Amino acid sequence: MSSADVLAAVDRDCDRFLAELKDYLRIPSISTDPEYAGEVERCSDFVAERMREAGLEAEIIRGEGHPIVFGEWLGAEGRPTLLFYGHYDVQPVDPVEEWRHPPFEPTVEGTNLVARGATDDKGQSFAHLKAVGAMLGERGELPVNVKFIVEGEEECGGEAIDAYVRADAGERLACDAVVISDSSMIGPGQPSLLYGLRGLSYMELEVLGPNRDLHSGTFGGAVENPLNALGGILASLKDSDGRILIPGFYDTVRPLEAWEREEMSKLPHDDADYAADVGVEALHGEPGYTTRERTGARPTCDVHGVWGGYQAPGAKTVLPARGGAKVSMRLVPDQDPQEIAALFAAHVQAAAPAGTRVEVRTLSSAEPVLVDATGPLVEAAMAAMADVWGSVPLRVREGGSIPIVSTFADILKVPILLLGFGLADDRLHSPNEKFTISHFFDGIRSTVRLLDRVGEID
Ligand code: BES
Ligand code: MN
Ligand code: MN
């Protein structure tokens, strides 16, 4: 079916869509910080309201954790059903002084919209909803059935949606494919279809030493310093080449297949540009793998934060009683997050010197996943993307994690279409996050084409 009618409506309503996206971005729905729980709640109401305006029946599902917003339109009897997933929560904004404008005052800068959540994931997933709303507004019906599930704790590895999908997948979430736009394209004009995401084991460790902070002159040299010990423990996680030293860590890593290495090597990529973009003189990673392989298909271990001791200006000669760190490991099939967390804990305990004690906690985890991205629905989605972006998506593996994807794959057993509208330099999780404004509109247009193309499948 031609989508000309709805695409004309999209062109006409672009300004309104952008204004609504800005309203959405003004809500500081930071899921990981309990101080923002009220804003997260308010954001779930906003999403449910926009779903109703679009013509869906919407409901806010409350349980443990932040609310999930569910919406559906099931008027196309006997036709396929698409389940659109997105998340309305965002990452914290620190370091806030590095933002050119306040993070929750969306600002147009040239061709970009700058705000926390602009691309991850408010802008991308809002495009799905605007497409459905435009089509229902123009035609009063859709060629397929649609369901929306938009969650509020993707960024903090929350478990609410996982429990919900496992419990309610049978009827409520029954569908023929899941559509997710929460990732990046290869470049402007070159869309991608992700078939792999990394998993995650996010750990926190605390090294405990003496029962109080001590004078480092009277006690130094005789009592182990928890921060020195922490430095040693963190250093023991990797060798200088970047190989991870936790015993057993690589045992279940599935090697890259020859065809994948071949395809990955053909993707546009330049190490010098990549290094220049992030402002480093040299790249660093596991020997024997390319940058794309290192980020898409090999596991990692990274320290995210370290605390303890005296941080204020000037010198204080203290031997701190405790210190800690946050460390995460990105995982690839077939590593199991629980097993990796246990290996990490055992390694850290063994590395703790006498006179210290280590406490280890898991803060969040996600399973690595390789999805089935074949079949007529996938072909329709590829064609819909090509209609709008000018070329057929290339299949790629990405290094980020979307925890619910592996649950969808296990429980729903349908193709999962990971079709991102973002760009690699969108600064996700960083100051000055942005979304290309034309990508928001083209995301809406590609969703319109997706609905029409899937509607044409017999
Ligand atoms: N949208 C990202 C994941 C992503 C980014 C996938 C780029 C592909 C390309 C998602 O919101 C995210 O940031 N996930 C977290 C999950 C974690 C907190 C459990 C991540 O990957 O750090
Ligand atoms: Mn995201
Ligand atoms: Mn994110």
Side-chain angles (χ1 to χ4, degrees):
M1 181 189 253
S2 150
S3 307
D5 54 342
V6 185
L7 295 177
V10 172
D11 291 346
R12 190 189 62 218
D13 289 339
C14 273
D15 290 347
R16 182 168 57 82
F17 295 158
L18 188 62
E20 284 181 28
L21 175 57
K22 286 188 189 169
D23 288 341
Y24 192 8
L25 291 168
R26 285 193 185 96
I27 308 174
S29 48
I30 303 170
S31 56
T32 199
D33 184 343
E35 265 194 32
Y36 288 83
E39 298 290 352
V40 175
E41 180 77 30
R42 188 157 75 84
C43 201
S44 69
D45 286 333
F46 179 95
V47 174
E49 230 8 80
R50 296 293 88 68
M51 283 185 185
R52 291 185 190 112
E53 277 171 16
L56 307 182
E57 266 185 41
E59 188 198 332
I60 296 181
I61 298 158
R62 277 172 227 281
E64 302 257 308
H66 299 306
I68 298 167
V69 190
F70 182 83
E72 63 187 5
W73 184 91
L74 303 177
E77 224 193 299
R79 305 301 303 146
T81 301
L82 296 177
L83 172 65
F84 290 93
Y85 163 86
H87 63 92
Y88 67 82
D89 64 324
V90 300
Q91 283 275 328
V93 296
D94 62 289
V96 72
E97 62 284 0
E98 288 184 22
W99 287 78
R100 289 185 296 272
H101 314 275
F104 296 105
E105 282 175 25
T107 307
V108 174
E109 284 189 352
T111 54
N112 297 322
L113 181 62
V114 180
R116 172 57 88 229
T119 186
D120 187 11
D121 177 43
K122 287 176 172 171
Q124 291 194 67
S125 65
F126 205 47
H128 297 154
L129 187 59
K130 291 295 105 186
V132 165
M135 196 175 274
L136 280 171
E138 221 29 49
R139 297 187 191 155
E141 61 176 13
L142 304 175
V144 295
N145 301 296
V146 298
K147 299 179 179 180
F148 278 76
I149 187 160
V150 184
E151 68 155 315
E153 42 185 39
E154 193 275 345
E155 296 291 10
C156 59
E159 257 117 55
I161 191 169
D162 191 77
Y164 181 71
V165 172
R166 286 175 195 282
D168 251 348
E171 275 184 45
R172 199 99 200 257
L173 300 180
C175 63
D176 298 284
V178 182
V179 183
I180 303 177
S181 297
D182 189 20
S183 54
S184 317
M185 310 185 18
I186 290 164
Q190 182 51 72
S192 62
L193 177 81
L194 296 194
Y195 67 93
L197 287 166
R198 288 195 288 194
L200 187 72
S201 287
Y202 198 122
M203 315 296 295
E204 183 168 84
L205 65 141
E206 192 152 18
V207 182
L208 307 157
N211 59 7
R212 59 187 186 279
D213 285 8
L214 302 173
H215 189 294
S216 72
T218 33
F219 294 95
V223 176
E224 179 61 282
N225 176 334
L227 281 184
N228 291 17
L230 178 65
I233 293 169
L234 296 178
S236 77
L237 293 169
K238 288 170 94 170
D239 70 15
S240 57
D241 272 344
R243 263 190 83 80
I244 295 152
L245 299 173
I246 300 168
F249 184 82
Y250 288 100
D251 286 0
T252 51
V253 170
R254 203 190 298 177
L256 269 153
E257 298 194 29
W259 68 265
E260 291 187 286
R261 300 196 86 163
E262 161 95 32
E263 283 203 359
M264 280 187 176
S265 72
K266 291 191 198 135
L267 294 171
H269 174 86
D270 183 85
D271 270 351
D273 290 350
Y274 185 91
D277 174 50
V278 298
V280 296
E281 276 181 14
L283 298 178
H284 176 77
E286 200 184 356
Y289 295 93
T290 65
T291 299
R292 276 216 167 258
E293 290 169 349
R294 286 170 179 168
T295 58
R298 296 294 298 171
T300 65
C301 178
D302 278 298
V303 180
H304 304 295
V306 179
W307 69 91
Y310 183 66
Q311 312 270 341
K316 183 186 183 204
T317 48
V318 67
L319 202 159
R322 54 178 61 212
K326 292 178 196 273
V327 179
S328 90
M329 293 155 285
R330 294 278 169 181
L331 311 178
V332 299
D334 299 305
Q335 289 177 300
D336 173 77
Q338 274 76 42
E339 263 172 39
I340 294 292
L343 293 176
F344 177 89
H347 173 80
V348 161
Q349 297 292 0
T356 64
R357 192 161 57 77
V358 185
E359 285 176 4
V360 186
R361 278 185 295 281
T362 305
L363 294 188
S364 74
S365 54
E367 307 256 355
V369 67
L370 287 170
V371 300
D372 166 28
T374 55
L377 272 150
V378 180
E379 295 309 318
M382 303 273 258
M385 292 293 278
D387 290 340
V388 173
W389 302 93
S391 53
V392 176
L394 298 176
R395 290 178 204 262
V396 294
R397 289 173 71 160
E398 266 277 7
S401 313
I402 306 175
I404 198 60
V405 172
S406 69
T407 314
F408 282 148
D410 286 354
I411 305 285
L412 300 176
K413 299 192 168 51
V414 295
I416 297 172
L417 299 162
L418 291 151
L419 299 165
F421 308 133
L423 288 174
D425 66 353
D426 277 346
R427 301 176 176 270
L428 319 192
H429 299 197
S430 302
N432 306 303
E433 176 179 348
K434 61 141 173 100
F435 192 26
T436 315
I437 295 167
S438 65
H439 283 213
F440 174 51
F441 301 140
D442 280 342
I444 300 173
R445 294 182 183 108
S446 19
T447 311
V448 169
R449 288 301 295 140
L450 173 70
L451 296 167
D452 274 336
R453 281 199 176 263
V454 172
E456 281 165 10
I457 299 173
D458 332 296

